[in-house]
Amino acid sequence: MMTKRNFNAAVVQTLAVLGDLEHNIELLQYYTQEAVQQGAELVVFPECMNTGYLFDSTQHCAELAETLTGTYVNAVADLCRQYKIHIASGFTERDADTNKIYNSGILVNCQGEIVLHYQKQFLATHDQNWFEVGTKGCPVVDTELGRVGLLICFDGRIPEIARCLALQGAEVIVDMANFFTMDQAELWTSARAYENGVWLIAATKTGVERSIYYPGGSAIVAPTGHVVAKIPYDTHGVVTSNIDLDECKAYNKFRDRRPETYQVLKTQFGDTPLAPLLQQPLIPEQVSLKVAAVQSHVLQEQRSIEEVFETISHTAKLGVKLIVLPQFFNVSTWLPNAEDAKIASQQAHQHLQIATEIARNYGCMLVLPIIERVAGNLMPSAVLVGTEGEIIGRYYQVHLEPEIRGWARFGDQFPVFETPFGRVGIILGYDGHFPECTRVLALNGADIIVWSCAWQHSFERELLAVPKAADNRVYLVCANRTDCPYPGGSFIIPPEGFSHWDVNVVAPPVTRHGAVIPLYANLARSRQKQMIPKVDMLRNRLVDTYKPLTSS
């Protein structure tokens, strides 16, 4: 099969009418013609386009649902043959053999053939009223327009689903959606594209269907995370963009994955370290603590290291019980070379002694990202110092920045440390580009995840950070350097994320060296993993479909 490396794709933003199949097919025909006039070779429609979405009952849904050979799917096939295009659309499906009802998606090729059939896995509360959990796994298919995978709306909130599609070679992920909130459209679509280095084409509805308001937000996102085409909110219409599949190759991070360290991702939830923790009763006022990201590290100036420890001490005096420093905090460059690393490793013991004294004096914990010599190897590490000045544990960076691999040796596990102030997990620098890291830590029972950073791009803050917290329902403490390509912006994200999708609005970046960014955290919020009723961000994962995540 010949694959076009460049083609035009279109997203459609409209509103299906509940129970009016004839009208919905007219929408399908009208917007397909509009897209073809704009040169589209792939046209993407929203979720449940044949029926509408907010049914009266399970029986009502079943009455409106169609099989793969029903009127709506046949109309899609006719349009594909007529215009020699591909169409992807969500539809309400009745399985012809079992009569079970699914929230499904199809991709139909130029010959009118269904080349990809997907069923939604991660069901929203209302989905669970009438739909079965999908049984198709995470399928992808080779087409004339590249290798394509499908997901549906809420599936995008589970990082494993998009990841599995990309790991199977998907260059384009099609999202057929009914977005209820702006953050899904404005943040998560770009985050999934950026995480995986793929094109993401998301078509959603706009308007009001009974009690639901759909704001819109249909968009086409490049592998860089940049939105290249978008339909305005509250607007019906079509927008197109050129898709250059070769861009996916330029942003391939998969060669740096460490599947051997992700094995808990295939563990059934009940067998994970997290499961029993969620059954433990907590008294909220006894599991509250003040946490701070301290945006301070060594500079070229004299007494710089003394000033860092002075800042730590002053932070502790404010009652902060967990203090987090940026990556390589005791090195005067954000990207140390072999000589820098050697010198830092020689100073590590002295700096740890000072830190342990501060921790003991103020009864606080410190996360100190340093470089240590271990069995003759230089290893980027983070040392967790306890309230008595003891070393609770060490984390050795698992994913190393390409620039430091000449001198650094990587770690091979993601430990979670039991402390008097909850369970703490740590990632360093480049680890943050791999959603598997924070998922592993969450399943291992972390309440708080520390990300000591040296960000190289604004999207590390703007796209990667919030999903790490909200997808796992944990606190995420981001402590960034002030001398890296994207300086400052340290912040702490609560388990529910923020009230606004744009982190620069809700948490404007502070670039000042020495800034202290605190938050009073209640760990009971980290032990509640539901996003909305019956939608659990950890329990509702379908681990049997995640084999690509842990395969080498």
Side-chain angles (χ1 to χ4, degrees):
M1 179 187 301
M2 292 294 293
T3 299
K4 292 185 176 182
R5 303 308 294 172
N6 276 273
F7 64 91
N8 284 336
V11 285
V12 175
Q13 188 162 284
T14 185
L15 181 66
V17 173
L18 184 66
D20 193 337
L21 177 61
E22 182 178 348
H23 175 80
N24 296 335
I25 289 177
E26 289 176 357
L27 291 176
L28 172 76
Q29 295 167 336
Y30 173 78
Y31 285 113
T32 296
Q33 185 178 21
E34 287 285 307
V36 169
Q37 289 175 352
Q38 294 183 31
E41 298 167 83
L42 168 64
V43 186
V44 180
F45 285 85
E47 187 175 356
C48 294
M49 271 300 299
N50 60 327
T51 59
Y53 191 50
L54 200 58
F55 308 101
D56 293 333
S57 62
T58 303
Q59 181 180 350
H60 183 215
C61 178
E63 290 170 353
L64 297 178
E66 295 185 73
T67 68
L68 287 171
T69 58
T71 304
Y72 183 81
V73 176
N74 285 335
V76 171
D78 288 342
L79 290 167
C80 289
R81 285 189 290 264
Q82 178 183 351
Y83 293 112
K84 302 301 179 187
I85 60 171
H86 289 65
I87 294 177
S89 179
F91 83 110
T92 303
E93 178 195 2
R94 177 176 61 81
D95 185 278
D97 296 323
T98 66
N99 282 325
K100 291 182 178 180
I101 310 301
Y102 296 95
N103 186 339
S104 297
I106 51 170
L107 176 65
V108 180
N109 69 10
C110 301
Q111 291 75 45
E113 302 164 335
I114 298 173
V115 293
L116 194 56
H117 176 208
Y118 175 72
Q119 296 166 338
K120 190 174 183 179
Q121 294 185 45
F122 189 52
L123 301 182
T125 306
H126 35 282
D127 280 325
Q128 295 179 41
N129 292 328
W130 30 74
F131 295 125
E132 301 285 336
V133 174
T135 62
K136 299 293 182 182
C138 303
V140 298
V141 66
D142 286 312
T143 75
E144 296 171 14
L145 306 178
R147 194 159 172 84
V148 180
L150 306 181
L151 56 78
I152 298 175
C153 198
F154 241 43
D155 288 329
R157 295 301 295 265
I158 295 292
E160 289 90 339
I161 296 175
R163 195 64 151 185
C164 284
L165 295 175
L167 285 169
Q168 294 176 87
E171 299 163 295
V172 178
I173 293 178
V174 170
D175 186 358
M176 300 151 288
N178 290 333
F179 293 152
F180 288 9
T181 58
M182 290 174 62
D183 62 353
Q184 186 81 4
E186 296 283 358
L187 176 55
W188 263 266
T189 52
S190 290
R192 297 301 177 229
Y194 182 58
E195 278 177 349
N196 295 292
V198 297
W199 287 91
L200 198 147
I201 303 172
T204 185
K205 294 175 182 168
T206 190
V208 176
E209 182 182 358
R210 295 185 161 181
S211 62
I212 300 176
Y213 164 62
Y214 305 113
S218 300
I220 299 174
V221 185
T224 59
H226 292 92
V227 176
V228 297
K230 184 177 179 180
I231 301 177
Y233 287 105
D234 301 313
T235 300
H236 291 222
V238 179
V239 69
T240 60
S241 177
N242 176 256
I243 305 297
D244 181 355
L245 297 180
D246 289 333
E247 287 191 29
C248 299
K249 298 178 182 177
Y251 302 97
N252 184 1
K253 302 167 186 171
F254 292 161
R255 60 181 175 271
D256 297 331
R257 296 177 72 249
R258 301 284 309 286
E260 70 277 14
T261 68
Y262 313 149
Q263 295 304 305
V264 73
L265 297 181
K266 66 182 181 183
T267 302
Q268 295 294 333
F269 178 78
D271 296 325
T272 65
L274 174 64
L277 296 175
L278 299 185
Q279 304 303 313
Q280 296 177 1
L282 295 175
I283 299 174
E285 66 180 17
Q286 293 180 4
V287 290
S288 297
L289 74 154
K290 196 171 184 179
V291 182
V294 175
Q295 198 165 273
S296 185
H297 53 81
V298 171
L299 301 173
Q300 297 289 345
E301 290 83 355
Q302 290 185 349
R303 291 199 74 256
S304 183
I305 188 66
E306 289 85 356
E307 291 176 357
V308 172
F309 284 117
E310 287 173 5
T311 301
I312 294 172
S313 295
H314 288 301
T315 302
K317 292 174 184 175
L318 298 174
V320 176
K321 293 303 180 185
L322 177 61
I323 298 172
V324 178
L325 278 295
Q327 189 178 22
F328 304 129
F329 95 98
N330 62 338
V331 184
S332 61
T333 174
W334 69 276
L335 195 61
N337 59 30
E339 184 61 24
D340 297 325
K342 178 182 177 182
I343 294 171
S345 69
Q346 293 169 348
Q347 299 171 337
H349 180 70
Q350 176 189 356
H351 295 160
L352 278 175
Q353 283 187 317
I354 300 171
T356 57
E357 184 178 348
I358 294 173
R360 188 165 45 245
N361 288 343
Y362 296 103
C364 64
M365 299 188 302
L366 306 175
V367 175
L368 299 175
I370 57 177
I371 299 168
E372 297 183 282
R373 189 172 290 279
V374 181
N377 299 301
L378 292 172
M379 300 186 70
S381 69
V383 181
L384 179 59
V385 180
T387 57
E388 301 296 324
E390 78 281 18
I391 304 300
I392 294 177
R394 284 175 164 85
Y395 165 68
Y396 297 107
Q397 188 172 343
V398 170
H399 303 89
L400 298 177
E401 287 81 1
E403 299 89 345
I404 69 172
R405 291 176 195 163
W407 59 261
R409 180 180 174 86
F410 53 74
D412 58 8
Q413 57 184 320
F414 294 98
V416 172
F417 304 106
E418 187 77 51
T419 82
F421 303 111
R423 294 171 60 86
V424 177
I426 303 170
I427 59 175
L428 293 171
Y430 191 46
D431 285 330
H433 283 259
F434 301 86
E436 294 91 341
C437 301
T438 41
R439 194 60 128 188
V440 167
L441 289 171
L443 290 168
N444 282 335
D447 301 307
I448 300 171
I449 296 177
V450 167
W451 184 11
S452 293
C453 317
W455 287 327
Q456 299 188 46
H457 194 287
S458 63
F459 280 0
E460 293 178 75
R461 181 182 201 264
E462 296 166 2
L463 297 182
L464 297 185
V466 170
K468 293 183 189 308
D471 292 346
N472 297 295
R473 284 314 196 248
V474 296
Y475 285 95
L476 184 74
V477 185
C478 300
N480 192 35
R481 294 180 67 101
T482 58
D483 62 350
C484 51
Y486 182 80
S490 302
F491 65 152
I492 303 173
I493 307 165
E496 303 84 7
F498 291 125
S499 59
H500 192 280
W501 62 268
D502 188 341
V503 298
N504 293 329
V505 170
V506 72
V510 177
T511 58
R512 178 173 58 85
H513 186 80
V516 176
I517 295 89
L519 181 74
Y520 196 52
N522 189 312
L523 300 187
R525 294 166 69 181
S526 293
R527 299 290 177 91
Q528 196 293 100
K529 301 299 184 180
Q530 289 191 3
M531 178 181 176
I532 52 178
K534 299 193 292 183
V535 178
D536 193 291
M537 305 303 288
L538 282 302
R539 287 186 179 90
N540 289 23
R541 300 164 63 251
L542 298 183
V543 298
D544 292 338
T545 70
Y546 301 157
K547 185 177 179 180
L549 294 175
T550 54
S551 301
S552 299

